Amino acid sequence: MWYKLFAFHLHTMLRKKSFFFALVVIVIITAAISLSLIVGFRGIDRTVLSPAWVLWNGNILINYHLPGIISDYAIRLNLLMSLIFPFLGALTYADSYYDQLRSGVIQEILSRSTRSAYYTSAALVVFLGAAVLTVVPYLFEQLLLLILCAGSAPQNAAGTSALQDNWAYFMDLPTALWGLQANHPYVFNVLESLLNALYIGAFSALTYAISLYVHINRFLVLTLPTILLWIGLEYLFSMLGLDSFTPRAAVINVWSVQYLVYFLALLLLVVLLLFGKCKKARDVLA
């Protein structure tokens, strides 16, 4: 039964207009900002440009010796993505409980299945939908940069070592990943994209889990967790001077301890909220 419910939720999500709306919006934003960077390179000698993997948003903020035009691009794209991802991630399927509660579909489903199967399968679909929404623009941006920029730096052809070319990135990376980042930077970028996707997926799953308890209207279902937890924590830690502990900082550096703490905390909250709802004795409409 669990697999049938999972297939039902997945099919429903893929039929939702809001899922494709969120996907199109984030791709258009990514393309527009990425192309604005490329336009800024007009008249610049190609041999002095960084390769596509360096210009990728996930790497730019670490490589602080890059020219101003590139760092400005990184700040714009990163700020926009870190603010818009939680809202768009919720659009994928986080409001499904609200919709199915209003339509009465949930009563029919729960009459033939268990609450735990229904809630956990829906939460997993929300997680996967938001993860796809997150990873697509990161990969799309890298593809655009590969089309419009060099795949490798000219100095690599001159025989400089990977350590010289990549020194800025090693400062924030676990030692075990140095070889991967130096020798296979595009594979490394894909891995970083997946970690970002897991983070936003977990946050969107939390949005769904909260909606099981607070479902007054669709606006609150989609925005309340982001406003209270994401923006609220961002403001609180910034005011306390703890910028490295904000949710946005965890997105910027997925190799940090902060990322792991946030990710595990999100998963724990999701599990606790789902467990509490499954054990709730009152009627599902309460």
Side-chain angles (χ1 to χ4, degrees):
M1 177 57 72
W2 190 92
Y3 294 101
K4 290 183 179 180
L5 283 172
F6 176 79
F8 164 76
H9 287 302
L10 184 62
H11 179 69
T12 305
M13 182 187 73
L14 294 176
R15 293 177 59 190
K16 282 174 66 74
K17 293 180 180 178
S18 59
F19 173 77
F20 292 100
F21 170 78
L23 196 60
V24 169
V25 166
I26 196 63
V27 167
I28 290 175
I29 291 173
T30 304
I33 298 180
S34 300
L35 291 174
S36 71
L37 169 71
I38 303 303
V39 170
F41 286 152
R42 287 182 303 177
I44 298 179
D45 189 344
R46 174 172 292 193
T47 59
V48 303
L49 291 180
S50 300
W53 69 265
V54 173
L55 298 176
W56 183 69
N57 176 55
N59 290 326
I60 281 181
L61 289 184
I62 318 173
N63 206 359
Y64 38 77
H65 64 274
L66 290 172
I69 181 177
I70 301 177
S71 60
D72 291 345
Y73 154 75
I75 291 171
R76 288 199 304 270
L77 187 56
N78 217 299
L79 281 175
L80 187 61
M81 283 188 168
S82 63
L83 288 175
I84 204 172
F85 267 144
F87 289 107
L88 292 182
L91 279 176
T92 56
Y93 198 59
D95 59 346
S96 59
Y97 180 78
Y98 173 81
D99 287 337
Q100 292 164 12
L101 192 62
R102 284 174 57 90
S103 65
V105 172
I106 191 172
Q107 292 175 309
E108 182 180 347
I109 295 174
L110 291 180
S111 66
R112 295 178 293 174
S113 67
T114 63
R115 291 188 178 196
S116 60
Y118 173 81
Y119 296 135
T120 56
S121 59
L124 181 57
V125 169
V126 174
F127 177 90
L128 293 175
V132 169
L133 180 78
T134 306
V135 80
V136 164
Y138 278 116
L139 298 182
F140 179 66
E141 180 203 5
Q142 184 70 95
L143 178 62
L144 277 179
L145 293 171
L146 278 169
I147 293 172
L148 299 171
C149 302
S152 59
Q155 62 264 32
N156 288 341
T160 56
S161 69
L163 182 61
Q164 287 177 280
D165 296 335
N166 299 32
W167 68 270
Y169 301 91
F170 294 151
M171 299 176 67
D172 296 316
L173 282 183
T175 308
L177 293 171
W178 284 15
L180 177 64
Q181 205 282 333
N183 300 311
H184 307 283
Y186 292 103
V187 175
F188 178 84
N189 286 358
V190 171
L191 179 59
E192 187 161 328
S193 300
L194 293 175
L195 290 175
N196 270 302
L198 292 178
Y199 186 65
I200 300 300
F203 191 85
S204 298
L206 178 61
T207 300
Y208 170 78
I210 292 175
S211 77
L212 302 179
Y213 298 88
V214 182
H215 40 262
I216 300 173
N217 57 60
R218 188 186 305 276
F219 178 79
L220 284 179
V221 166
L222 293 175
T223 62
L224 185 63
T226 301
I227 293 172
L228 291 181
L229 297 178
W230 191 282
I231 298 178
L233 289 176
E234 186 81 24
Y235 180 76
L236 175 63
F237 285 128
S238 296
M239 288 289 292
L240 295 174
L242 302 172
D243 292 336
S244 60
F245 291 90
T246 63
R248 184 169 54 87
V251 173
I252 292 174
N253 187 5
V254 296
W255 311 107
S256 64
V257 176
Q258 293 92 316
Y259 169 86
L260 182 61
V261 170
Y262 268 111
F263 180 66
L264 293 178
L266 289 172
L267 290 183
L268 179 61
L269 285 173
V270 171
V271 170
L272 291 176
L273 289 173
L274 292 179
F275 180 80
K277 188 65 176 180
C278 292
K279 295 299 182 182
K280 195 174 182 181
R282 292 191 304 167
D283 188 82
V284 72
L285 293 178

